[in-house]
Amino acid sequence: MAMALKAVHVCDVPNLDQVPENAAVALCSTRFRAGVNDEKICECNIPKFLVVGHRGNGMNMLQSPDPRMKSIKENSILSFNEAAKFSIDFIEFDVQVTKDDYPVIYHDNFVLHEEKGVIVENRVTELALAEFLSYGPQKHPGSEGKPLYRKTKDGRFFEWKVEKDAPLCTLEEAFHDVDQSVGFNVELKFDDFIVYKEEELSRILKAILKVVFENAKGRQILFSSFQPDAARLIRKLQSTYPVYFLTNGGSEIYTDIRRNSLEEAIKLSLENGLQGIVSEVKAVFRNPGAVGRIKESKLSLMTYGQLNNVPEVAYMQHLMGVEGVIVDLVKEISESVSDLTHAKEGEEKSMYGEEDGKKEVKAKPQFSKDELSFLLKLIPELMIQA
């Protein structure tokens, strides 16, 4: 039987870093409006389905054949403001602290550049702010920064070339220069292979909190981290903004067992008063029962991962009770969400539009039994490919 879904199908997605341009299906959602920064109590009972821009308008995958994955420099003011043009709730970005205690926005643990034909790696946290900002495009006309490179998981190096390049930036600059309408999902970034002492974590987190409290000015903020003790400490150091624990749900195994399953993530969150969990999306589909346990624990649940760039996957998560998705294809997913939002609002008010009282509102997509069956088969197939 032919399916009527207006979205990407398994045969159309040979690789998850190349999602077809026409991947669009309206998703069930309404927008998140309420503030989250209550000084006295920090709860995160999100009533709506959130769309969060990953590293702004999407991460860069320099090895990808999909031009959208190398369109705008990730984690830049340019990327953040591009994402803010769409109907999204938050942008997500990675924050590290330089050796002179300036929070900067950068995903990788190391800055890579070329010297005399050799790729040199410098750890972000061992650089002073001025040196960090000397890499890549410069803000001042006539200035030239050192070209950046990136290393893939399989060890290949790529010069960091994108269609629209932009300078590196600090957390403070993001507060000043990014559209106030969009919230910040501040990921507290730490190296997986370093064992941090509590004093060091506390120093780093206090430097970040200083910038946040001095510059937030009513902007919606939430913190997240894969580092269990960083998540615990940021919750201990402040009660203004919600804290989420990031986990890949067991797709990789770490010596710290708190990182190895959704069950451990629930336990950590409850023991430390965290507000929610951000899980790799495949872990949720492998263990759908965990969604109910998370909800029963009064925790919020969002997901990240390349599967979230497939609209049907986001739609299924909404049906399962997931409260938000972090995505790279911001335009495609946000427009899909917005389409159904407007349809749902229209259905609640009237079955007719304003013109002549007879204009029919855009219909909410109706999935037949066969189509839902297809979706349930589609997602495991995509999980295998990821």
Side-chain angles (χ1 to χ4, degrees):
M1 174 179 287
M3 296 294 105
L5 295 176
K6 296 180 181 178
V8 59
H9 297 277
V10 176
C11 60
D12 297 325
V13 193
N15 296 293
L16 284 173
D17 59 1
Q18 188 175 13
V19 180
E21 291 279 0
N22 63 350
V25 66
L27 309 179
C28 191
S29 167
T30 51
R31 313 311 302 154
F32 177 59
R33 298 295 184 196
V36 295
N37 53 337
D38 186 331
E39 286 284 356
K40 295 183 179 179
I41 186 167
C42 181
E43 295 183 355
C44 213
N45 298 319
I46 298 174
K48 305 176 182 184
F49 193 70
L50 307 185
V51 178
V52 181
H54 187 210
R55 304 183 202 171
N57 201 48
M59 70 174 177
N60 296 152
M61 293 184 67
L62 304 177
Q63 72 276 26
S64 172
D66 188 338
R68 292 172 296 175
M69 304 305 288
K70 42 195 171 186
S71 172
I72 304 175
K73 183 70 154 287
E74 70 174 41
N75 276 337
S76 67
I77 301 296
L78 182 64
S79 184
F80 299 155
N81 281 322
E82 181 65 24
K85 293 177 182 178
F86 303 103
S87 184
I88 65 169
D89 305 286
F90 287 83
I91 52 171
E92 179 271 352
F93 51 73
D94 312 274
V95 175
Q96 304 183 59
V97 174
T98 62
K99 71 176 184 180
D100 47 353
D101 288 336
Y102 286 93
V104 295
I105 299 176
Y106 199 79
H107 173 269
D108 302 351
N109 293 319
F110 294 89
V111 174
L112 276 59
H113 70 285
E114 185 180 8
E115 286 184 10
K116 300 178 180 178
V118 178
I119 300 297
V120 177
E121 299 184 350
N122 291 310
R123 186 177 288 279
V124 173
T125 55
E126 294 177 357
L127 296 173
L129 176 63
E131 187 175 2
F132 172 78
L133 294 176
S134 72
Y135 293 97
Q138 299 296 291
K139 294 177 182 178
H140 303 294
S143 299
E144 188 173 334
K146 291 172 273 190
L148 287 166
Y149 284 76
R150 247 189 159 169
K151 186 178 182 180
T152 60
K153 288 185 177 180
D154 60 8
R156 292 179 292 162
F157 291 99
F158 289 85
E159 187 172 356
W160 202 333
K161 290 184 176 180
V162 293
E163 183 181 341
K164 297 178 182 179
D165 212 342
L168 302 180
C169 67
T170 66
L171 178 59
E172 184 174 2
E173 287 175 317
F175 276 111
H176 292 168
D177 299 337
V178 175
D179 191 312
Q180 188 69 26
S181 68
V182 68
F184 285 176
N185 173 185
V186 179
E187 180 183 335
L188 310 167
K189 186 75 176 179
F190 294 91
D191 192 324
D192 291 338
F193 300 101
I194 292 179
V195 177
Y196 294 89
K197 294 181 179 180
E198 185 153 329
E199 309 89 78
E200 176 69 2
L201 287 175
S202 182
R203 179 189 67 81
I204 293 168
L205 296 177
K206 286 178 179 178
I208 294 170
L209 284 174
K210 181 177 185 294
V211 173
V212 170
F213 283 119
E214 288 178 356
N215 297 279
K217 297 179 181 177
R219 189 189 296 268
Q220 296 172 8
I221 308 287
L222 66 87
F223 293 110
S224 62
S225 186
F226 284 102
Q227 221 290 347
D229 291 315
R232 174 179 61 80
L233 271 176
I234 197 76
R235 184 68 184 93
K236 184 178 179 181
L237 289 169
Q238 60 85 45
S239 59
T240 303
Y241 303 110
V243 180
Y244 282 57
F245 180 56
L246 273 160
T247 179
N248 61 31
S251 58
E252 294 181 54
I253 300 301
Y254 299 88
T255 54
D256 190 334
I257 63 170
R258 295 174 295 179
R259 300 188 60 179
N260 290 341
S261 69
L262 283 172
E263 297 302 331
E264 286 292 337
I266 295 170
K267 181 180 177 183
L268 176 80
S269 298
L270 292 177
E271 288 178 348
N272 294 283
L274 308 188
Q275 283 69 41
I277 294 167
V278 182
S279 171
E280 210 286 331
V281 58
K282 288 180 288 184
V284 170
F285 285 119
R286 290 192 187 106
N287 185 11
V291 177
R293 292 192 289 278
I294 291 169
K295 306 293 281 186
E296 290 168 5
S297 301
K298 301 188 185 307
L299 295 169
S300 175
L301 174 64
M302 297 195 293
T303 66
Y304 73 93
Q306 291 181 53
L307 275 176
N308 282 348
N309 295 321
V310 180
E312 291 97 332
V313 173
Y315 180 77
M316 288 298 293
Q317 289 179 79
H318 172 75
L319 296 180
M320 293 168 66
V322 174
E323 291 157 306
V325 288
I326 299 174
V327 305
D328 295 299
L329 301 185
V330 172
K331 178 179 185 293
E332 290 82 348
I333 301 301
S334 65
E335 288 180 352
S336 297
V337 168
S338 181
D339 283 347
L340 189 54
T341 298
H342 295 151
K344 186 173 182 180
E345 290 173 352
E347 288 172 352
E348 290 172 352
K349 293 178 180 178
S350 171
M351 287 303 293
Y352 300 96
E354 294 180 359
E355 288 184 18
D356 301 324
K358 295 182 179 180
K359 185 177 180 180
E360 190 172 341
V361 298
K362 191 170 184 179
K364 178 179 177 180
Q366 299 296 318
F367 288 93
S368 68
K369 181 178 179 181
D370 287 331
E371 288 169 340
L372 284 172
S373 177
F374 172 77
L375 285 177
L376 291 172
K377 292 176 182 176
L378 167 72
I379 291 167
E381 287 289 336
L382 290 173
M383 288 171 60
I384 291 171
Q385 293 178 32

